[in-house]
Amino acid sequence: KEGVVTAVSVPVEISVVLTGGGSISATTFTTNPDRISHEGPISSRYVEAWTKGAISAGLPAGYIEAIAESAR
């Protein structure tokens, strides 16, 4: 949440679909639209966290490979 203090991130309310059925409301954080930049490489820490999350969630190998491609 430290990005909210500096206005780098903004909270977004989302609905999460549960595997057993139903859904819950949650808050996630995303880049402030005023601060988005497509310049420069994606940080290796971000790619590592993204990859670990994808593996943990059991996402397809093609998706995980696409993460690695986006970092190049």
Side-chain angles (χ1 to χ4, degrees):
K1 291 196 277 185
E2 61 274 359
V4 174
V5 173
T6 60
V8 171
S9 300
V10 292
V12 177
E13 297 299 318
I14 62 169
S15 178
V16 179
V17 177
L18 304 173
T19 55
S23 64
I24 60 171
S25 295
T27 302
T28 188
F29 295 85
T30 190
T31 304
N32 184 331
D34 296 334
R35 307 275 311 248
I36 291 176
S37 171
H38 298 284
E39 296 178 19
I42 300 171
S43 79
S44 59
R45 274 182 67 194
Y46 179 77
V47 172
E48 181 181 342
W50 187 11
T51 302
K52 285 181 178 179
I55 292 168
S56 176
L59 296 179
Y63 181 84
I64 295 166
E65 291 167 10
I67 295 171
E69 286 295 318
S70 71
R72 294 186 186 146

